[in-house]
Amino acid sequence: MDSSTLEQLAEFICGDNDFAPLYRRGSELTRFFKRAGINKTHDGSTRKWWTLDVLQSLDAREMDQVLKRLASPKEYKADPTVVKKAIKALNQIIFIEGIKIEIDGV
């Protein structure tokens, strides 16, 4: 992925912008990546830059896992309003990469 896309994803994961559905502290970033199947531990550095470094280190399969977790209703406690907001914002970020996320209904 392009560096500007990765930077926007890092902001989205951290919750550092208006379109992110939730804010994640450092320890929550570690838990998020573990839920996505990525074994990384936040080192106490600036959340956005640490998250960007993690994203830059991922291979295609791992990035797919992160995107799937970001779109998962489980990540937002299955709140339909929050899930809808998350997927809309996520799709705006990754559109430039030719990727679109959709949730297959219940």
Side-chain angles (χ1 to χ4, degrees), residues 5-23:
T5 303
L6 290 176
E7 188 171 337
Q8 289 179 55
L9 276 175
E11 290 174 354
F12 181 83
I13 291 168
C14 292
D16 286 350
N17 49 33
D18 294 335
F19 56 85
L22 57 98
Y23 178 87

Side-chain angles (χ1 to χ4, degrees), residues 63-77:
M63 182 58 74
D64 185 54
Q65 289 172 220
V66 168
L67 291 175
K68 285 178 181 176
R69 188 63 203 191
L70 285 171
S72 173
K74 292 178 185 178
E75 194 63 27
Y76 311 104
K77 299 181 175 138

